[in-house]
Amino acid sequence: MLDWGPVLVSVILFVLLSPGLLFQLPGHKHCVEFGNFHTSGAAIMIHALLYFALVCVFFLAVKVHLYLG
């Protein structure tokens, strides 16, 4: 059996935390902007840190598992 939990969580978080898709932190004109589809270097760095922190929480603390097959 293969454990698809980490793969599924990683893909979902990657899509949701793409800078400019749902929100951007920091924005160009405001602290938080929603759905503007523009990015900056600072926004990419902050979203990468958020992604890393949430992936660590889900993999190490919550231990998400999904077995298929």
Side-chain angles (χ1 to χ4, degrees):
M1 284 195 260
L2 298 174
D3 186 10
W4 285 94
V7 175
L8 186 66
V9 168
S10 297
V11 169
I12 290 172
L13 285 177
F14 183 80
V15 170
L16 291 178
L17 290 176
S18 296
L21 182 63
L22 294 179
F23 68 97
Q24 181 176 335
L25 181 71
H28 290 282
K29 297 178 184 174
H30 304 289
C31 184
V32 177
E33 293 181 353
F34 296 96
N36 63 356
F37 295 107
H38 293 93
T39 59
S40 64
I44 292 170
M45 189 65 181
I46 289 177
H47 282 260
L49 291 173
L50 282 172
Y51 176 79
F52 176 74
L54 288 174
V55 163
C56 287
V57 165
F58 280 114
F59 292 170
L60 300 175
V62 179
K63 296 181 181 175
V64 176
H65 297 287
L66 178 65
Y67 294 106
L68 297 175

